[in-house]
Amino acid sequence: MEIVYADPRIVVAVKPAGVLSTDEPGGMPQLLRQELGTPCIRTVHRLDAAVSGLMVYARSAKAASLLSEQLRSRTFGKEYLAVVHGVPEGGVMTDLLGRDPVRRRTYVAAEPGKDVRPAELSYEVLGSREGLSLVRIRLHTGRTHQIRVQFASRGFPLVGDRKYGGGEEGESIALWSWRLEFTHPQTGAAMRFSKLPPKETPWLGFPMPLTGR
């Protein structure tokens, strides 16, 4: 486990691709309990199993409650890096997203309805090459497969995302949780963590953001 930060109330770690972020056998909470030798690791937010990058976990019920409240009030900042097909312009994406539980796919809905929820993100294009673009994304809502669906629905599917039309056999999804910003649940201190994706395809050749900004 790559642990970026740990104290008695929280732990920040890098979730590998293919590992569940939730509390299931082989998931991140179980792995962190084993690594840290602690009985309490609680999930605060989620990443798709195929997606990698930074996650924060609570080490007490109270810490989990306070961090979850920050998520609900949108004072918990989450930013992602993604490589997409095409050259989008940057800006804000706002959609109504529904979920097909049988096919396990999220879709853009034409109008409000049962289990249809608003979704919003903002993004900027950091660089483009060979028909691909690196985008920096800030989530304003946290819907299942939100980033993947919102970009794919506009003709910019993520590299490696076979479910939503952007991948080929053997490719990994080019989506990385690169920055977290939140208030420490015990001390009240402003916490900020950044971690760039690995220096490998498809991230190579793009200008990466500065980790301190």
Side-chain angles (χ1 to χ4, degrees):
M1 295 299 300
E2 183 178 352
I3 294 177
V4 176
Y5 174 86
D7 67 27
R9 292 294 176 261
I10 63 171
V11 56
V12 179
V14 176
K15 186 189 88 65
V19 176
L20 295 173
S21 62
T22 50
D23 201 352
E24 300 173 62
M28 284 291 290
Q30 182 185 71
L31 296 177
L32 288 170
R33 290 186 193 106
Q34 294 172 353
E35 181 75 15
L36 297 171
T38 181
C40 185
I41 296 289
R42 299 197 175 210
T43 302
V44 176
H45 60 115
R46 299 185 179 190
L47 282 182
D48 297 343
V51 177
S52 308
L54 288 177
M55 293 193 70
V56 58
Y57 286 87
R59 300 183 71 176
S60 72
K62 182 65 172 179
S65 176
L66 292 171
L67 289 172
S68 295
E69 177 56 34
Q70 292 180 46
L71 284 166
R72 286 191 293 270
S73 63
R74 300 188 183 183
T75 58
F76 188 116
K78 292 185 289 183
E79 291 189 8
Y80 297 79
L81 296 174
V83 180
V84 304
H85 290 275
V87 185
E89 295 182 353
V92 177
M93 293 183 178
T94 303
D95 292 294
L96 294 172
L97 297 185
R99 181 73 178 165
D100 184 336
V102 176
R103 299 174 63 199
R104 302 183 71 180
R105 288 173 61 94
T106 300
Y107 61 90
V108 175
E111 57 188 25
K114 183 180 179 181
D115 298 326
V116 173
R117 305 173 70 187
E120 182 178 284
L121 60 80
S122 55
Y123 75 102
E124 62 177 320
V125 179
L126 299 181
S128 299
R129 64 170 180 82
E130 300 175 1
L132 304 176
S133 298
L134 175 69
V135 294
R136 175 177 174 172
I137 303 156
R138 188 170 186 88
L139 275 184
H140 303 299
T141 56
R143 312 301 180 218
T144 302
H145 296 177
Q146 178 180 337
I147 293 172
R148 299 161 64 181
V149 173
Q150 289 195 278
F151 277 90
S153 69
R154 291 164 171 81
F156 306 112
L158 273 61
V159 169
D161 191 355
R162 285 187 289 166
K163 182 181 284 288
Y164 295 103
E168 299 179 0
E169 191 70 33
E171 287 185 326
S172 298
I173 294 179
L175 181 59
W176 179 270
S177 171
W178 96 280
R179 171 166 285 185
L180 299 176
E181 298 173 333
F182 55 90
T183 300
H184 194 283
Q186 181 177 39
T187 68
M191 309 295 286
R192 174 184 291 178
F193 299 94
S194 301
K195 178 76 175 180
L196 293 175
K199 296 179 180 180
E200 59 187 37
T201 304
W203 306 102
L204 294 175
F206 289 109
M208 290 290 163
L210 298 176
T211 56
R213 298 179 61 185

